[in-house]
Amino acid sequence: MIRGITMVTSTTGSTLLLPLSNAVQLPIDQVNFVACQLFALLAAIWFRTYLHPSKTSSLIRHIVATLLGLYLALFCFGWYALHFIVQSGISYYIMIVVGVENMHKYCFVFALGYLTLCQIATVYIFDYGQYSADFSGPMMIITQKITSLAFEIRDGMFCKEEELTPSQRSLAVRRMPSPLEYLSYNCNFMGILAGPLCSYKDYITFIEGRSYQLKQSEVNGKEDTNYERKEPSPNTVVVHKLIVCAVSLAFYMTATRILPVEYNIDGHFLQTTSVPTRIIYLYLSLMAARPKYYFAWTLADAINNAAGFGFQGYDRNGEENWDLVSNLNIKNIESSTSFKMFIDNWNIQTALWLKRVCYERATFSPTAQTFMLSAIWHGVYPGYYLTFFTGSLMTMAARNMRNNIRHYFLQSPELKLIYDIITWVATQVAISYTVAPFVLLSVRPSLQFYSSWYYCLHLVCILVLLVLPARAKKKAKEEKDDVCPPLTKTSKVETISAHNSHPSTNNNSNQREETTWRRPSAAQ
């Protein structure tokens, strides 16, 4: 049967829902996961209603959020949930003992190393290749939070203001969190099972009930401090996201049975189908694999919103935005006309984490280092490394092609439309080709897949990198400046918008701004 549908009756978590697992023919750990997330959704509504900041203290909100989170972890993973406390506890001890100057290094190495050891144990000792919920999934989110907070504390308590980027200044934490605040941030019920990552300052602002007050409406592009309105309600957006969850789950349960990714390497399929048919099936099978992520991430987003967390402010029309911790944009993903557009809208919070702790702090080869960190963080399946190696090639090649070709198609709307259609097809094929090993997991099927394609897109990427200049326009300008130097020096304009430098106590304004880190101008 298709991996993820096979029945699994053994689990370290609760077996209370085993009859339901047998009835729906899904592994018990996946049933536990969905049940706990639905319970968390109800708990979030209760939390926002009865433990509202106006009715209770931050201390009570921290305690309840933490205890509920640990209970859900215990229900899903049994004694393996102790790893969450151990990893958080040792990391907090490291911060206290090592001090602010070097805490980020030690916390990064320990948290990522501890996560990797658990992933190795899960894959190679317990059950290799079983595509179901396991305790290393929540640890991936906790690792993000531990490392992010360590860097944010160092930025706020050790680094000088002029040494930081605008986004780093806005995220900087100026005091050491208490043990309860630290554990609540890492293990709260809203994000313990599926995240998403949020900044520490945003979370504390939410717990203390200051997030709505910090958001002021914008009228004609200017902040109107006298603009008053009642506290926004997330009910409408939560219902909308739950509908998205239901549609995604139904599509996934149906499509993956009809379009298994493994069929791309079936011998009979490869021998009897034409190249166009193989391309179409590759695209459809990988598209069918995405809705499970749409379901899990959108449900996690809805849980946070239901608790009152995730308010992004108001747009210029006065409409509420609840996408502060959103992890994806389905419309932009499915309509992507570039590799960058796809990764900018997929797993958004993880992309921001990679940018904050690696890309903007790397002293050499930031793109390669970022993809390597992403592969290590995701796990130890060989398919992950093949995917991120291929993704690195794709990103650099796509950047070169865009810089050298795109401006020729901007002469008229007709040419631009042709360019968009061609790049949409190319992007969808390239994404499917890149992520197939991520789904296949093992070395043999992954290499079998690439061999059946004769590594054609790898070769195309290498050829593009060798033939096309990296920054055609920039090189032309530099050559012109060499002949006729400018009369006055011009300062470099930072890639990140100056809007990020607004002295807010959280990073609500940074989420969209920070996605520019993967643009060509930021990567050079």
Side-chain angles (χ1 to χ4, degrees):
M1 296 180 69
I2 301 169
R3 183 181 293 117
I5 304 300
T6 305
M7 278 293 298
V8 177
T9 56
S10 61
T11 178
T12 57
S14 173
T15 58
L16 179 65
L17 300 178
L18 189 57
L20 178 61
S21 172
N22 293 328
V24 298
Q25 289 294 298
L26 284 175
I28 180 62
D29 50 0
Q30 292 186 7
V31 172
N32 283 348
F33 170 81
V34 174
C36 284
Q37 286 294 76
L38 293 178
F39 174 82
L41 179 65
L42 297 176
I45 297 173
W46 172 82
F47 190 82
R48 177 169 59 91
T49 304
Y50 295 100
L51 293 183
H52 191 274
S54 63
K55 300 179 181 179
T56 189
S57 66
S58 299
L59 176 64
I60 298 299
R61 284 167 62 84
H62 275 303
I63 292 174
V64 172
T66 305
L67 292 179
L68 283 175
L70 294 177
Y71 172 75
L72 295 179
L74 187 66
F75 187 91
C76 277
F77 309 110
W79 69 268
Y80 284 112
L82 291 175
H83 285 291
F84 309 160
I85 300 176
V86 171
Q87 187 187 31
S88 299
I90 295 178
S91 297
Y92 189 81
Y93 178 77
I94 288 174
M95 290 199 305
I96 298 299
V97 173
V98 173
V100 294
E101 182 177 359
N102 295 308
M103 67 164 61
H104 62 301
K105 298 178 182 178
Y106 289 93
C107 284
F108 184 88
V109 171
F110 166 75
L112 194 63
Y114 193 95
L115 170 65
T116 302
L117 289 176
C118 290
Q119 290 171 331
I120 291 173
T122 301
V123 172
Y124 294 107
I125 297 178
F126 297 116
D127 196 12
Y128 184 92
Q130 179 56 49
Y131 212 76
S132 58
D134 67 80
F135 73 97
S136 66
M139 288 187 66
M140 294 169 68
I141 305 298
I142 294 175
T143 298
Q144 289 182 333
K145 292 182 176 180
I146 289 171
T147 53
S148 294
L149 181 54
F151 277 98
E152 291 163 3
I153 293 175
R154 182 181 184 271
D155 290 342
M157 299 180 64
F158 177 78
C159 296
K160 297 178 181 179
E161 288 286 323
E162 58 269 19
E163 297 174 348
L164 305 176
T165 66
S167 62
Q168 288 171 352
R169 283 195 292 270
S170 67
L171 293 170
V173 177
R174 308 295 177 181
R175 67 171 182 85
M176 191 71 69
S178 69
L180 176 60
E181 291 172 331
Y182 190 75
L183 190 61
S184 174
Y185 173 59
N186 287 339
C187 300
N188 65 81
F189 75 95
M190 300 174 296
I192 184 67
L193 297 183
L197 170 69
C198 64
S199 78
Y200 175 77
K201 294 180 76 171
D202 278 337
Y203 179 73
I204 292 300
T205 299
F206 156 71
I207 289 292
E208 294 176 353
R210 295 184 288 113
S211 56
Y212 300 132
Q213 289 76 9
L214 290 170
K215 289 299 161 189
Q216 298 170 337
S217 64
E218 295 185 359
V219 179
N220 298 323
K222 297 181 179 180
E223 291 185 355
D224 182 3
T225 57
N226 297 320
Y227 192 79
E228 297 182 357
R229 62 172 74 218
K230 65 180 181 179
E231 182 177 301
S233 171
N235 294 339
T236 301
V237 72
V238 168
V239 171
H240 171 75
K241 290 178 180 179
L242 291 179
I243 293 174
V244 173
C245 289
V247 173
S248 299
L249 183 61
F251 184 84
Y252 172 72
M253 295 295 292
T254 304
T256 51
R257 297 174 187 268
I258 302 172
L259 301 166
V261 176
E262 291 81 0
Y263 198 57
N264 284 285
I265 57 174
D266 180 79
H268 178 73
F269 174 77
L270 295 175
Q271 293 175 4
T272 59
T273 54
S274 62
V275 172
T277 301
R278 289 172 55 189
I279 293 175
I280 293 172
Y281 185 85
L282 174 66
Y283 165 68
L284 292 176
S285 62
L286 269 298
M287 182 184 67
R290 289 197 284 266
K292 73 176 177 183
Y293 297 100
Y294 296 165
F295 167 76
W297 289 340
T298 305
L299 180 56
D301 192 15
I303 292 169
N304 281 271
N305 292 165
F309 185 37
F311 181 60
Q312 179 80 356
Y314 300 95
D315 61 21
R316 297 188 179 186
N317 297 321
E319 298 294 328
E320 299 170 4
N321 288 331
W322 286 87
D323 57 357
L324 173 63
V325 292
S326 295
N327 226 2
L328 76 170
N329 186 316
I330 298 176
K331 179 182 177 181
N332 289 346
I333 288 171
E334 298 299 341
S335 62
S336 295
T337 57
S338 69
F339 209 87
K340 174 196 173 296
M341 182 178 176
F342 185 95
I343 61 178
D344 276 354
N345 292 280
W346 174 269
N347 208 352
I348 295 171
Q349 303 305 323
T350 292
L352 293 178
W353 170 71
L354 291 168
K355 178 256 182 177
R356 293 166 184 168
V357 304
C358 181
Y359 188 89
E360 69 180 14
R361 301 178 192 268
T363 56
F364 64 94
S365 302
T367 299
Q369 287 191 46
T370 301
F371 274 102
M372 178 56 68
L373 173 59
S374 183
I376 294 173
W377 175 79
H378 274 89
V380 293
Y381 286 113
Y384 294 166
Y385 291 84
L386 288 173
T387 286
F388 289 110
F389 169 74
T390 305
S392 180
L393 283 178
M394 291 284 184
T395 300
M396 292 184 289
R399 179 186 302 154
N400 285 16
M401 291 188 66
R402 180 181 176 87
N403 288 339
N404 285 274
I405 295 175
R406 184 174 183 270
H407 57 278
Y408 293 114
F409 290 86
L410 301 180
Q411 308 298 328
S412 67
E414 292 77 12
L415 286 176
K416 180 63 167 56
L417 177 61
I418 294 173
Y419 176 84
D420 288 340
I421 294 173
I422 294 174
T423 52
W424 179 83
V425 173
T427 297
Q428 299 306 318
V429 173
I431 289 292
S432 302
Y433 178 90
T434 300
V435 303
F438 193 95
V439 180
L440 296 171
L441 299 178
S442 303
V443 173
R444 184 175 179 180
S446 298
L447 294 181
Q448 185 179 350
F449 168 77
Y450 280 146
S451 296
S452 69
W453 281 67
Y454 302 102
Y455 296 91
C456 60
L457 295 191
H458 287 87
L459 297 177
V460 169
C461 289
I462 294 173
L463 182 63
V464 167
L465 292 174
L466 291 176
V467 173
L468 295 180
R471 301 291 299 276
K473 295 180 180 179
K474 183 177 179 181
K475 288 181 68 176
K477 183 180 184 302
E478 289 175 347
E479 291 173 359
K480 181 179 180 180
D481 289 346
D482 288 339
V483 178
C484 301
L487 297 177
T488 59
K489 292 183 178 180
T490 57
S491 61
K492 290 184 178 181
V493 180
E494 291 187 86
T495 305
I496 301 176
S497 171
H499 181 67
N500 282 355
S501 63
H502 189 278
S504 172
T505 58
N506 57 31
N507 75 323
N508 293 349
S509 62
N510 294 326
Q511 179 168 307
R512 293 192 182 90
E513 306 285 348
E514 293 192 28
T515 57
T516 59
W517 70 276
R518 283 166 290 190
R519 291 181 181 173
S521 59
Q524 299 300 320

